[in-house]
């Protein structure tokens, strides 16, 4: 009973925060954050308790807890809702609770001047409620319900500043793009249900063995479409950079631990029944996403846009890892990425917050506070933010002693092992993996150098820059510590990836319906050192190039741009591979053309020519019918008949003498006339 209440509290606490603040937030005003932070603190404490229990007591036997109940039943259809808690669930709940709490703490200062302060924290509550629902779901239908709630709550948060022009458009774009993936996901779920007869994930895994391989591949890929949308994979990645229009703490929440991680988590859960053919397609999608997003990030000057494309690239890594049969490393990277990416976004928010205050002091409303070309030299002004961002940058670049090295090394080893096994065209996977690693190191240090080093781009802005207050810097310090490698290994050896974290989740790399996972894991282990040395080399190249170009300034940026433009790469990066333009040309413009034509037909032809014509005919017909009715029927026939009746009755009235003999004589006369007529016939 206690365990059940403990698990359910992950849903009760955030939804309680939403209900209280959405209905009574105006009464609490600035105390809204205290209520929300208190409830998130309770959830974090609960997560820490369960997490500690998993580490110290259940790491060996991988204890799981499950509970379900019938939601509704109609005919042969029975829908059950419930939760399933294992080590993976516990880790995800811990990540969501920690990032959620730190984002709440950070937001108390970042959003304190906002007029919709309580509404903001209410939206955070329903967002975390929805994410926890996905993590706890024991069935695909329950996961889908919370999946859509995450989409709704992210729509509310991205479009939070709806009075501006761009946030509502970004929110709509995110919502509609995700619906494309969600449609495929729902169809895939239905295919699996009609074959297995259950939505329960464990029952589906055990019940698809006799399913037609082609149909199972199709069903798996359709369900994966949901992940393509949520986790911003090619070609449905276009919404994520625009989602930066929401408040920066929201960006940290969406990009780090929650919304975008949902796709990876869902794919991890369905991994055991994904066919080799489906996994191959998934690996290719992940590789394309990782490399393309990394190349795009090189030419971004908006600090949040760089981090947005970085998120897409890292999500590509996770999806690629799942595709090559390394789910443990995909999840490992999800967790490490949650820490350093949340830190990176909150650091960027700290910089933007300082820039905003400086520009406000100068009464400057034209300078973009997010453009790195307006920054420079902030290291001395913002030492905590600089240190935290440098640590998290070293982590994402895959430098030893930092968490990103451990998880990225495992993914690259898996990708290299996959190539060793299949050869041929699979060379594109390690090229994408190691290429994206080098580019990531390059553009992330480009961000560091342009923001914190060199001479200030605008001296008047620089004068008024100061470090962010404690509610904003405390999360930065904590997350930067959690970006260190020893946190996940409890070992100071920078090259050793084994530790408590992998021990906790390693079991989940041993089972698959169609793959020999022992063979796969052995291949990954054998490729480990090759991948490690190569990943260190490419990371060094990326960092070195960034130092030469942006720190030492030994190489002219324009010359590099012109060099890359010889093969069209610079323009591809600058224009985001023309994906948005392609969508605009192929989808949006034709769609709007169709709607314009439809509107013309509806208004100018159907409405004005047909509907209005019938209206005119009806009006004229009713007019003449009215005239005929009144002048002819009413006045001539009906009134004429009544007048005639009145006249005749008046004349007949005069014939009435009141003498009975006269009446008898009249009757007799009529009778005589009747007899004469009869005889004549």
């Amino acid at each position: 009973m206690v365990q059940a209440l403990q698990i359910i509290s992950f849903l009760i606490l955030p939804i309680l925060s939403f209900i209280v603040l959405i209905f009574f937030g105006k009464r609490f005003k600035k105390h809204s954050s205290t209520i929300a932070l208190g409830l998130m603190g309770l959830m974090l404490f609960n997560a820490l308790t369960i997490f500690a229990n998993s580490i110290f007591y259940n790491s060996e036997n991988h204890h799981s807890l499950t509970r379900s109940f019938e939601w509704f039943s109609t005919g042969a259809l029975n829908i059950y809702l419930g939760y399933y808690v294992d080590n993976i669930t516990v880790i995800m709940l811990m990540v969501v609770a920690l990032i959620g709490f730190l984002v709440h703490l950070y937001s108390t200062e970042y959003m304190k001047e906002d007029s919709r302060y309580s509404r903001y924290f209410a939206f955070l509550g329903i967002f975390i409620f929805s994410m926890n629902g996905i993590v706890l779901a024991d069935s695909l239908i329950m996961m889908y319900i919370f999946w859509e709630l995450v989409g709704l709550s992210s729509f509310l948060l991205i479009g939070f500043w709806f009075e501006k022009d761009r946030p509502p458009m970004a929110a709509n774009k995110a919502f509609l793009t995700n619906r494309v993936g969600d449609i495929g996901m729902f169809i895939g779920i239905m295919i699996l249900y009609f074959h297995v007869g259950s939505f329960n994930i464990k029952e589906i895994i055990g019940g698809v063995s006799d399913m037609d391989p082609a149909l199972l591949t199709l069903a798996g890929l359709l369900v994966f479409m949901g992940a393509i949308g949520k986790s911003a994979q090619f070609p449905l990645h276009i919404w994520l950079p625009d989602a930066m229009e929401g408040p920066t703490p929201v960006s940290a929440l969406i990009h780090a631990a929650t919304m975008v991680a949902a796709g990876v988590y869902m794919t991890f859960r369905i991994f055991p029944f994904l066919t080799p053919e489906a996994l191959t397609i998934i690996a290719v999608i992940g590789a394309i996403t990782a490399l393309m997003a990394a190349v795009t990030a090189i030419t971004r000057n908006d600090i949040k846009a760089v981090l947005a494309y970085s998120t897409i690239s890292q999500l590509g890594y996770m999806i690629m890892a799942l595709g090559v049969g390394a789910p443990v490393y995909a999840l490992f990277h999800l967790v490490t990425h949650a820490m350093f990416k949340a830190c990176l976004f909150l650091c960027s928010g700290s910089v933007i917050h300082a820039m905003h205050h400086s520009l406000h002091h100068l009464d400057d409303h034209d300078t973009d506070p997010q453009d790195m070309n307006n920054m420079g030299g902030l290291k001395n002004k913002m030492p905590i933010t600089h240190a935290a961002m440098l640590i998290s940058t070293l982590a994402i670049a895959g430098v030893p002693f930092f968490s990103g090295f451990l998880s990225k090394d495992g993914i690259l080893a898996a990708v290299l092992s996959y190539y060793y096994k299949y050869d041929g065209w699979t060379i594109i996977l390690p090229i994408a993996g190691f290429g994206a690693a080098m580019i990531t190191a390059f553009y992330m240090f480009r961000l560091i150098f342009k923001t914190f080093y060199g001479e200030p781009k605008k001296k008047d802005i620089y004068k008024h820059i100061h470090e962010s207050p404690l509610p904003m810097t405390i999360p930065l310090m904590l997350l930067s510590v959690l970006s260190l490698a020893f946190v996940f290994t409890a070992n100071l050896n920078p090259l050793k990836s084994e530790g408590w974290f992998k021990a906790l989740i390693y079991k989940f790399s041993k089972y698959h319906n169609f793959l020999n996972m022992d063979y796969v894991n052995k291949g990954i282990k054998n490729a480990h050192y090759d991948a490690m040395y190569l990943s260190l080399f490419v990371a060094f190249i990326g960092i070195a190039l960034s130092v030469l170009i942006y720190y030492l300034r030994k190489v002219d940026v324009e010359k590099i741009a012109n060099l890359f433009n010889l093969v069209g790469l610079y323009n591809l990066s600058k224009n985001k591979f023309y994906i948005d333009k392609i969508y605009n040309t192929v989808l949006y413009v034709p769609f709007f053309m169709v709607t314009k034509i439809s509107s013309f037909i509806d208004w100018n032809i159907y409405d004005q020519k047909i509907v209005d014509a019938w209206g005119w005919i009806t009006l004229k017909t009713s007019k003449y019918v009215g005239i005929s009715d009144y002048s002819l029927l009413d006045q001539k026939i009906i009134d004429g008949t009544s007048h005639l009746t009145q006249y005749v009755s008046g004349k007949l009235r005069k014939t009435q003498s009141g003498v009975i003999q006269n009446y008898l004589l009249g009757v007799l006369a009529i009778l005589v006339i009747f007899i004469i007529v009869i005889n004549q016939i």
Side-chain angles (χ1 to χ4, degrees):
M1 183 67 179
V2 175
Q3 283 184 317
L5 289 173
Q6 203 174 18
I7 299 302
I8 295 174
S9 69
F10 285 99
L11 299 176
I12 294 173
L13 292 171
I15 197 65
L16 182 62
S17 175
F18 169 75
I19 292 170
V20 170
L21 296 181
I22 204 71
F23 288 108
F24 310 105
K26 289 185 178 180
R27 296 184 182 180
F28 297 118
K29 298 180 181 178
K30 295 300 179 182
H31 295 295
S32 298
S33 59
T34 306
I35 295 170
L37 194 61
L39 291 170
M40 291 303 106
L42 287 174
M43 190 178 77
L44 178 58
F45 176 78
N46 195 22
L48 284 167
T49 304
I50 298 174
F51 186 66
N53 184 63
S54 294
I55 292 176
F56 295 112
Y57 299 105
N58 295 319
S59 59
E60 294 297 324
N61 58 16
H62 303 279
H63 177 72
S64 63
L65 180 67
T66 183
R67 199 70 64 85
S68 65
F69 66 93
E70 188 177 271
W71 184 24
F72 70 87
S73 175
T74 174
L77 179 64
N78 300 305
I79 305 295
Y80 291 87
L81 298 181
Y83 58 80
Y84 178 75
V85 180
D86 57 11
N87 289 342
I88 304 299
T89 312
V90 171
I91 290 170
M92 288 299 298
L93 289 174
M94 182 67 216
V95 171
V96 174
L98 178 61
I99 302 298
F101 176 80
L102 294 177
V103 166
H104 274 75
L105 176 61
Y106 186 93
S107 298
T108 58
E109 183 67 30
Y110 191 89
M111 299 293 293
K112 69 177 183 180
E113 303 298 331
D114 199 279
S115 59
R116 295 183 295 273
Y117 191 70
S118 60
R119 185 185 296 182
Y120 170 80
F121 284 98
F123 290 168
L124 286 183
I126 193 170
F127 188 95
I128 292 174
F129 163 78
S130 306
M131 186 61 202
N132 282 342
I134 291 175
V135 173
L136 289 169
D138 70 337
S139 67
L140 288 179
I141 196 67
M142 181 177 172
M143 185 177 287
Y144 188 78
I145 293 169
F146 284 102
W147 195 270
E148 295 304 312
L149 279 174
V150 165
L152 174 63
S153 51
S154 64
F155 171 83
L156 297 173
L157 286 169
I158 295 168
F160 184 75
W161 287 323
F162 57 82
E163 67 276 6
K164 301 178 181 178
D165 293 331
R166 295 174 65 179
M169 294 176 63
N172 286 332
K173 189 175 184 179
F175 189 82
L176 294 173
T177 305
N178 274 275
R179 297 296 75 72
V180 175
D182 295 352
I183 291 170
M185 181 181 177
F186 184 77
I187 295 171
I189 291 172
M190 289 299 107
I191 292 173
L192 292 170
Y193 173 77
F194 284 115
H195 181 85
V196 179
S198 174
F199 291 112
N200 186 275
I201 297 173
K202 292 187 72 175
E203 291 179 9
I204 291 173
I205 292 171
V208 296
S209 56
D210 60 338
M211 193 170 173
D212 180 70
L215 184 61
L216 182 58
T217 299
L218 176 63
L221 289 174
L222 284 169
V223 176
F224 176 69
M225 276 187 65
I228 293 177
K230 272 293 186 288
S231 291
Q233 298 297 291
F234 174 84
L236 299 181
H237 65 284
I238 58 172
W239 68 270
L240 193 57
D242 289 13
M244 297 298 96
E245 295 299 329
T248 300
V250 170
S251 301
L253 195 61
I254 290 176
H255 286 246
T258 51
M259 186 174 176
V260 295
V264 178
Y265 174 78
M266 183 270 289
T267 309
F268 181 94
R269 284 300 190 194
I270 67 171
F271 173 78
F273 68 76
L274 292 172
T275 63
E277 293 78 15
L279 289 172
T280 300
I281 295 171
I282 289 170
V284 171
I285 290 173
I288 294 171
T289 305
L291 187 59
M292 186 177 67
V295 172
T296 306
I298 295 175
T299 54
R300 303 302 105 192
N301 288 313
D302 186 306
I303 190 170
K304 287 176 67 176
V306 175
L307 297 178
Y309 280 101
S310 167
T311 297
I312 298 172
S313 182
Q314 298 304 307
L315 288 166
Y317 267 110
M318 300 173 207
I319 294 298
M320 184 167 57
L322 287 161
V324 298
V328 167
Y329 287 104
L331 189 75
F332 194 6
H333 197 56
L334 186 156
V335 176
T336 60
H337 176 262
M339 303 305 157
F340 59 68
K341 183 53 61 72
C343 187
L344 285 167
F345 266 109
L346 295 182
C347 285
S348 73
S350 178
V351 172
I352 295 167
H353 183 264
M355 291 286 292
H356 264 299
H357 274 270
S358 180
L359 293 170
H360 181 74
H361 185 85
L362 297 169
D363 199 27
D364 184 349
H365 303 290
D366 298 321
T367 302
D368 186 356
Q370 297 182 192
D371 192 338
M372 294 185 294
N373 292 324
N374 298 325
M375 302 173 188
L378 301 184
K379 178 170 72 79
N380 295 327
K381 289 280 189 174
M382 307 182 72
I384 297 175
T385 302
H386 163 255
M389 201 159 198
L390 181 59
I391 290 171
S392 49
T393 296
L394 288 165
I396 196 173
V399 175
F401 294 105
F402 300 92
S403 61
F405 170 77
L406 302 176
S407 54
K408 190 178 286 188
D409 182 54
I411 293 174
L412 293 174
V415 169
L416 204 58
S417 171
Y418 193 82
Y419 167 64
Y420 288 164
K421 182 180 179 182
Y422 295 105
D423 204 2
W425 69 267
T426 61
I427 187 72
I428 66 171
L429 299 180
I431 289 174
F434 288 100
M438 183 179 70
I439 297 169
T440 299
F442 173 78
Y443 69 69
M444 285 306 304
F445 274 89
R446 170 181 177 265
L447 182 151
I448 288 289
F449 294 140
K450 292 191 72 165
T451 305
F452 294 100
Y453 291 83
E455 292 296 318
K457 306 297 189 302
K458 296 188 177 184
K459 298 272 179 92
D460 52 342
I461 299 175
Y462 179 78
K463 289 178 183 176
H464 303 285
I465 294 288
H466 57 81
E467 184 61 272
S468 299
L470 276 177
M472 292 177 66
T473 54
I474 288 174
L476 305 186
M477 291 185 281
L478 180 58
L479 288 168
S480 60
V481 172
L482 294 174
S483 299
L484 301 174
F486 79 86
V487 173
F488 297 92
T489 63
N491 194 310
L492 296 178
N493 184 346
L495 304 180
K496 187 174 176 62
S497 63
E498 303 298 327
W500 65 266
F501 187 89
K502 283 185 65 177
L504 206 61
I505 64 175
Y506 190 71
K507 164 202 172 183
F508 300 93
S509 69
K510 294 182 178 181
Y511 178 74
H512 192 277
N513 283 11
F514 309 104
L515 296 178
N516 184 344
M517 292 305 294
D518 289 334
Y519 180 78
V520 173
N521 291 326
K522 187 178 179 181
I524 295 173
K525 189 176 181 180
N526 292 335
H528 171 69
Y529 285 103
D530 291 351
M532 182 178 66
Y533 295 136
L534 191 54
S535 67
L536 288 173
F537 175 73
V538 297
F540 172 79
I541 294 294
I543 295 171
L545 285 173
S546 190
V547 170
L548 286 171
I549 298 172
Y550 295 102
Y551 183 70
L552 299 176
R553 302 187 184 278
K554 298 292 186 181
V555 182
D556 188 11
V557 178
E558 293 296 327
K559 290 182 179 178
I560 297 292
N562 292 332
L563 179 65
F564 279 104
N565 210 31
L566 291 175
V567 292
L569 191 60
Y570 179 80
N571 281 333
L572 281 174
S573 175
K574 194 72 176 175
N575 292 282
K576 299 177 284 189
F577 283 78
Y578 300 96
I579 301 295
D580 284 278
K581 291 183 179 179
I582 292 170
Y583 275 128
N584 188 60
T585 304
V586 176
L587 292 176
Y588 302 148
V589 171
F591 178 77
F592 287 128
M593 185 69 71
V594 170
T595 58
K596 194 173 181 180
I597 294 170
S598 300
S599 177
F600 177 82
I601 294 171
D602 178 62
W603 176 251
N604 295 82
I605 298 176
Y606 180 73
D607 191 69
Q608 291 191 317
K609 297 294 188 289
I610 299 175
V611 176
D612 287 359
W614 276 111
W616 182 84
I617 293 170
T618 303
L619 182 65
K620 293 298 182 182
T621 303
S622 64
K623 182 179 178 181
Y624 290 115
V625 168
I627 293 171
S628 334
D629 178 65
Y630 182 75
S631 302
L632 182 62
L633 182 63
D634 190 59
Q635 290 192 321
K636 296 294 189 274
I637 299 175
I638 296 175
D639 288 356
T641 303
S642 67
H643 291 156
L644 179 63
T645 303
Q646 187 179 15
Y647 175 79
V648 172
S649 64
K651 296 297 183 182
L652 289 174
R653 191 180 294 114
K654 292 178 181 180
T655 63
Q656 297 178 2
S657 62
V659 181
I660 192 156
Q661 291 89 341
N662 293 340
Y663 297 151
L664 291 172
L665 185 62
V667 171
L668 182 62
I670 293 170
L671 192 60
V672 170
I673 292 170
F674 179 75
I675 292 169
I676 294 170
V677 171
I678 292 296
N679 288 332
Q680 289 295 323
I681 294 173

